[in-house]
Amino acid sequence: MKNVYCIGELLIDFVAEKQGSDLSKATDFTKKAGGAPANVASAIAKLGGKSFFIGCVGKDPFGTFLINTLTEGQVDVSLAQRSDTFTTLAFVSLAEDGERDFVFSRGADKELKHDIRIKNLFKDQIVHFGAATSFLGGSLEEAYSLYFQEAIFQNSFICFDPNFRVDLWKGTEEIFIQKCIPFIEKSDLCKFSLEEAQLLSGKVDLKEACTFLHELGTKIITVTLGGEGTYLSTPAVQKIIPSIKIKPLDTTGAGDAFIGCLLKQISLTTNLETLLNDSGLLEKMVQDANKAGAITTLNFGAIESLPNQEQINQV
């Protein structure tokens, strides 16, 4: 089994559970651990994989809570960092259909620095880049780029999820696109939402979007489509893998559970060629990943809602 290193933000989600999508009307918030790369690491560990989180939190009670949450979930946090800057917060409002409205108060996540201890750690392992805040400047962006170069140099299996957030990039979408392109060019696997695939490719049609993104360089593309399932695109396969039918309560972390489950399965395979040459195997992996994403939406909060392998097998 290969190690999976997840790089990016770990933060507090303050979730308003009992109101519509307008965050201004929220009165009661519940503290939850969040941050896409941390969710992915937690999903992998919950399924019995070996995951490491690389990111930065504050030297405050929220940061301690987050580190403890990952540790209790069997995520290796030996490469995580602490900063004097306050831990990053996100306020999340949920609509009746479980969709989210975000407001960020950015803090310690931007303080991540490149750690020389990772020299040779990435060799022939899996490295996942989840970019929600990683292109917003600070030492995080520089460290993120250096880790990316290390992953390429050490022949890692590279996974990239852009995690586009409208409120972070409104009016500067073109900058976001340009920052994503080098990662798409060198990644073995990219996970997109439909919105992201269309934004990054400039194409409305999903097949045309994936063709464009493949031409940039990525080998395997998964485009999550909510209740419909996931569009899988490789040089040999272009098809929708259906999801299970559920009534979502909170979609926070569903995409992270999906890619976490997929990466855990990939950590058990031999190499990229195996995935590209055995479309049946890859389709089965995506099918199970769809189940993981769907199950996660049945409860509030991402990390505590992540399924174990038994739950996936029972669906």
Side-chain angles (χ1 to χ4, degrees):
M1 182 186 293
K2 295 179 180 178
N3 296 331
V4 186
Y5 296 89
C6 301
I7 305 173
E9 76 275 7
L10 174 59
L11 51 80
I12 298 289
D13 280 330
F14 280 109
V15 181
E17 299 179 11
K18 298 179 180 179
Q19 88 298 321
S21 60
D22 187 349
L23 197 55
S24 67
K25 298 177 182 177
T27 57
D28 300 314
F29 293 85
T30 301
K31 180 182 69 176
K32 304 286 185 180
N39 293 341
V40 174
S42 298
I44 293 165
K46 187 81 174 279
L47 293 168
K50 297 179 181 178
S51 65
F52 292 72
F53 173 73
I54 302 176
C56 186
V57 297
K59 297 176 182 176
D60 53 67
F62 288 139
T64 299
F65 164 76
L66 291 169
I67 292 295
N68 289 345
T69 298
L70 293 193
T71 301
E72 291 165 6
Q74 305 303 308
V75 176
D76 191 309
V77 295
S78 60
L79 296 169
Q81 299 173 21
R82 305 290 293 266
S83 165
D84 291 330
T85 303
F86 200 77
T87 297
T88 298
L89 309 177
F91 295 86
V92 188
S93 176
L94 301 174
E96 291 183 1
D97 62 359
E99 287 301 321
R100 302 158 295 171
D101 179 26
F102 279 97
V103 172
F104 277 90
S105 177
R106 198 176 185 210
D109 79 278
K110 66 184 177 184
E111 304 293 338
L112 180 70
K113 294 176 174 58
H114 182 257
D115 190 335
I116 60 172
R117 289 182 297 167
I118 61 91
K119 186 176 182 179
N120 297 324
L121 284 182
F122 291 173
K123 186 172 177 58
D124 299 321
Q125 305 300 310
I126 298 172
V127 186
H128 172 69
F129 295 88
T133 67
S134 299
F135 295 145
L136 293 173
S139 59
L140 168 61
E141 183 168 4
E142 180 182 357
Y144 200 70
S145 177
L146 290 171
Y147 284 128
F148 183 56
Q149 296 303 317
E150 290 275 7
I152 295 170
F153 180 74
Q154 296 184 39
N155 195 39
S156 306
F157 182 98
I158 299 174
C159 176
F160 175 60
D161 181 350
N163 276 303
F164 177 71
R165 298 287 183 261
V166 174
D167 57 311
L168 297 181
W169 293 99
K170 193 170 185 178
T172 58
E173 291 86 354
E174 192 58 40
I175 296 174
F176 176 81
I177 293 169
Q178 293 305 313
K179 290 188 176 188
C180 286
I181 286 176
F183 287 80
I184 298 170
E185 290 175 340
K186 297 296 184 181
S187 292
D188 300 293
L189 166 64
C190 284
K191 180 261 176 194
F192 304 114
S193 66
L194 177 59
E195 177 189 23
E196 289 165 345
Q198 292 171 332
L199 173 69
L200 293 167
S201 67
K203 311 289 185 182
V204 175
D205 179 79
L206 185 51
K207 186 174 182 179
E208 291 181 5
C210 288
T211 297
F212 176 88
L213 294 165
H214 279 307
E215 288 174 352
L216 288 178
T218 188
K219 312 297 189 304
I220 302 171
I221 295 172
T222 59
V223 183
T224 52
L225 303 171
E228 289 185 55
T230 299
Y231 187 84
L232 172 64
S233 182
T234 73
V237 179
Q238 295 83 38
K239 66 187 296 185
I240 292 178
I241 311 299
S243 185
I244 58 175
K245 300 298 181 184
I246 49 92
K247 185 175 181 180
L249 181 63
D250 176 8
T251 61
T252 304
D256 304 326
F258 168 88
I259 197 62
C261 181
L262 185 55
L263 289 175
K264 189 270 178 176
Q265 295 174 87
I266 291 174
S267 75
L268 301 172
T269 64
T270 54
N271 50 45
L272 176 63
E273 285 68 31
T274 299
L275 297 173
L276 293 175
N277 294 330
D278 190 343
S279 59
L281 172 64
L282 188 54
E283 289 177 35
K284 175 61 168 61
M285 289 180 173
V286 172
Q287 188 177 56
D288 279 357
N290 282 342
K291 293 178 183 178
I295 293 169
T296 301
T297 71
L298 297 177
N299 292 291
F300 286 110
I303 290 178
E304 58 263 56
S305 302
L306 294 167
N308 57 35
Q309 191 62 54
E310 182 179 358
Q311 289 174 286
I312 293 174
N313 294 341
Q314 290 175 348
V315 177

